[in-house]
Amino acid sequence: DAGVTQSPTHLIKTRGQQVTLRCSPISGHKSVSWYQQVLGQGPQFIFQYYEKEERGRGNFPDRFSARQFPNYSSELNVNALLLGDSALYLCASSLVDNYRDEQFFGPGTRLTVL
Amino acid sequence: QKEVEQNSGPLSVPEGAIASLNCTYSDRGSQSFFWYRQYSGKSPELIMFIYSNGDKEDGRFTAQLNKASQYVSLLIRDSQPSDSATYLCAVLRRSGYALNFGKGTSLLVTP
């Protein structure tokens, strides 16, 4: 079975630009979460979507937004990019959203902001 | 106080030895605990999860949970050079959807 897929793999943008990252969950999984990982740190939670509804949001500015589509794929948008947004952006999928549910990560999108 | 704390390491163990990785958490209401392995330049890979107090074994890996002490550990038996990676401890928040990660412990297994 295919795992979580993300696109693009790498992305280079300049300050002030906007970026859209895409994620397709494992087949049958209905929940998608987004995390940001900067070098030397653990991933930080950005959003979770379940059945196309936002279930939670981490401590990120409104420049970050996301949505989930009827096929459970998801997009993360970041507007007005800052140098500090340079990071590995990870998408994780899970079957449902209860506390016993494991989250499986995709390969990530590495974003560099110049 | 950070919500999830891990010793950043590096932890160096010889091949064939037992590697012991530790994690403490601050939210007493946390319900689920996960260990991820992350190779340099790659994404985290789930290797163990535990919900109940005690030990859980899967192959060479054993996860241990002590909710009273707010402590989770991962033991890797018969460590191999291929186990060299950063190990991330993750705790599912009381809300039930967001994983809270530690900074990770770097493990180096020397031949």
Side-chain angles (χ1 to χ4, degrees):
Chain A
D1 285 344
V4 179
T5 59
Q6 292 186 245
S7 63
T9 305
H10 295 86
L11 206 49
I12 299 175
K13 293 285 189 178
T14 57
R15 281 177 296 175
Q17 286 190 310
Q18 175 264 342
V19 68
T20 298
L21 311 180
R22 296 177 175 83
C23 170
S24 290
I26 293 169
S27 178
H29 284 196
K30 298 182 178 180
S31 180
V32 170
S33 301
W34 288 95
Y35 293 82
Q36 179 197 65
Q37 187 178 26
V38 298
L39 199 61
Q41 302 291 320
Q44 296 292 311
F45 173 74
I46 310 176
F47 286 109
Q48 190 191 65
Y49 278 79
Y50 175 68
E51 289 280 17
K52 302 179 288 295
E53 298 284 330
E54 182 182 306
R55 296 303 300 272
R57 181 186 182 114
N59 188 24
F60 280 81
D62 291 344
R63 300 184 295 107
F64 288 77
S65 63
R67 55 180 174 167
Q68 186 178 34
F69 299 99
N71 66 353
Y72 303 109
S73 67
S74 177
E75 286 183 352
L76 174 70
N77 294 285
V78 186
N79 294 322
L81 286 167
L82 302 174
L83 295 180
D85 295 331
S86 295
L88 179 66
Y89 287 84
L90 297 161
C91 172
S93 83
S94 54
L95 194 57
V96 289
D97 67 342
N98 68 46
Y99 75 98
R100 287 184 177 268
D101 206 29
E102 303 98 83
Q103 295 187 22
F104 298 93
F105 285 91
T109 294
R110 184 158 306 275
L111 172 64
T112 302
V113 182
L114 302 176
Chain B
Q1 181 187 12
K2 294 189 192 281
E3 294 186 49
V4 180
E5 297 209 49
Q6 296 181 255
N7 187 325
S8 61
L11 172 65
S12 182
V13 300
E15 184 175 357
I18 296 175
S20 178
L21 304 160
N22 305 314
C23 171
T24 58
Y25 60 95
S26 60
D27 184 354
R28 193 170 285 278
S30 299
Q31 304 185 81
S32 306
F33 308 87
F34 304 84
W35 284 98
Y36 287 84
R37 176 175 63 197
Q38 187 171 27
Y39 293 111
S40 180
K42 302 295 186 183
S43 64
E45 173 193 8
L46 180 65
I47 53 173
M48 288 289 291
F49 56 91
I50 187 166
Y51 313 121
S52 304
N53 275 328
D55 295 359
K56 179 181 178 183
E57 187 174 318
D58 184 1
R60 296 187 297 112
F61 299 99
T62 299
Q64 299 175 316
L65 174 60
N66 183 327
K67 289 187 177 180
S69 300
Q70 295 175 244
Y71 178 90
V72 193
S73 65
L74 178 71
L75 300 178
I76 306 174
R77 289 181 299 281
D78 189 24
S79 296
Q80 301 296 310
S82 58
D83 294 325
S84 298
T86 296
Y87 289 80
L88 296 163
C89 172
V91 177
L92 196 62
R93 297 177 182 172
R94 197 186 306 231
S95 58
Y97 52 80
L99 287 174
N100 206 4
F101 284 85
K103 288 188 176 183
T105 297
S106 175
L107 173 66
L108 178 64
V109 181
T110 56

